[in-house]
Amino acid sequence: MNASAAIEELVIANRVIAFLGLVDSFGHITVRNPENPARFFMARARAPRLVTKDDILEFNLDSTPVDLRGLKPYSERFIHGCLYEARPEVLSVCHNHAHELLPLAVTKTAMRPALHSAAIIGHEVPVWDIRDQFGDTNMLVTTNDMGRSLAATVGSGKAALMRGHGSVIAGKNIQDAVFATYYLRLNAEVLIKAMSMGSAVTYLSPGEVNGAGELHSQPSAQGRAWEDWCSQAGVKLIS
Ligand code: MN
């Protein structure tokens, strides 16, 4: 994939995550530049549903812009730059405030997969609390120090919840990032509903997480969902 195709897929991904309700007016998805891994593409500060090709900007991994063209960048671009900096194999990052997962971000409830399709989130999703290191803030990740702290909590994992805020997902590509974001939210919804029934949740075993996680990392699984979501969102697939 070249940079132009990556930008095209990024625009589609913005529409898809908005359609799926994974982001509201806030939240963002990015892709590493396939022609220059020291840079990534991200829209200007705009609701994802409205993003077009002309909104896409390029940033260095320290989240300094290559050329803003007079446009306003997202203040939380450091979430993305710092994950790309820490994880060379990560090619797409999604940051969201998906409403349905927020109860898990404001309680000490462990986010572990209870569904086969959610195994892609890994054995347990850690919670990053901005206050631990940075005290009282406006809760936004607006510096490289904050972004690196968050990336350290993600570690080698797939995702982290952000206390009182949302989540971040590290993808091997755009489709993987969207897929994991979707099933992270579904896992949260199922946990919350199951717990409200008053029954103990049976989580996947470590072996099940490995097996089902591998299965749902395959392009055959992720591509089926992607094709369907693009169709539902009314956007044209790129081949
Ligand atoms: Mn945010």
Side-chain angles (χ1 to χ4, degrees):
M1 183 178 281
N2 61 22
S4 167
I7 287 170
E8 201 173 331
E9 191 171 52
L10 181 61
V11 172
I12 290 172
N14 271 274
R15 304 294 176 86
V16 167
I17 60 174
F19 170 80
L20 293 172
L22 295 170
V23 288
D24 48 23
S25 308
F26 302 92
H28 16 82
I29 185 164
T30 58
V31 65
R32 195 190 288 269
N33 183 343
E35 296 177 12
N36 181 354
R39 292 179 175 177
F40 66 97
F41 294 115
M42 181 179 212
R44 70 177 169 102
R46 192 172 204 201
R49 189 185 313 276
L50 305 178
V51 166
T52 70
K53 207 169 165 182
D54 293 338
D55 294 316
I56 303 300
L57 299 168
E58 191 175 14
F59 296 91
N60 300 300
L61 298 194
D62 64 1
S63 293
T64 53
V66 175
D67 178 6
L68 277 183
R69 309 197 312 268
L71 302 175
K72 183 184 179 303
Y74 289 115
S75 57
E76 290 198 291
R77 59 192 181 279
F78 303 90
I79 294 172
H80 302 256
C82 291
L83 261 170
Y84 291 127
E85 177 187 67
R87 298 271 299 276
E89 85 287 8
V90 168
L91 302 185
S92 180
V93 173
C94 182
H95 166 60
N96 69 89
H97 316 148
H99 300 180
E100 299 84 350
L101 65 73
L102 294 179
L104 278 289
V106 301
T107 62
K108 302 288 184 192
T109 310
M111 172 70 98
R112 293 166 51 201
L115 302 167
H116 74 314
S117 47
I120 192 164
I121 68 175
H123 293 273
E124 181 160 349
V125 176
V127 181
W128 179 71
D129 190 334
I130 193 169
R131 198 162 64 208
D132 288 346
Q133 197 177 334
F134 302 98
D136 287 343
T137 63
N138 67 2
M139 304 291 287
L140 299 187
V141 180
T142 52
T143 67
N144 279 308
D145 282 347
M146 290 173 172
R148 286 178 188 134
S149 170
L150 174 57
T153 295
V154 176
S156 59
K158 195 74 178 175
L161 298 178
M162 300 160 69
R163 195 270 306 163
H165 186 157
S167 74
V168 60
I169 289 85
K172 62 183 180 179
N173 54 47
I174 286 176
Q175 295 184 24
D176 183 57
V178 174
F179 191 92
T181 301
Y182 182 89
Y183 284 104
L184 178 71
R185 178 181 67 174
L186 182 63
N187 197 65
E189 289 182 275
V190 169
L191 289 185
I192 293 160
K193 285 178 185 165
M195 287 170 179
S196 73
M197 293 164 63
S199 325
V201 172
T202 302
Y203 293 94
L204 300 194
S205 70
E208 288 171 339
V209 174
N210 291 338
E214 174 64 21
L215 181 68
H216 290 90
S217 295
Q218 300 302 317
S220 54
Q222 296 187 350
R224 194 193 303 187
W226 182 251
E227 179 184 43
D228 189 29
W229 291 333
C230 286
S231 168
Q232 290 179 50
V235 291
K236 196 169 151 286
L237 269 176
I238 55 168
S239 53

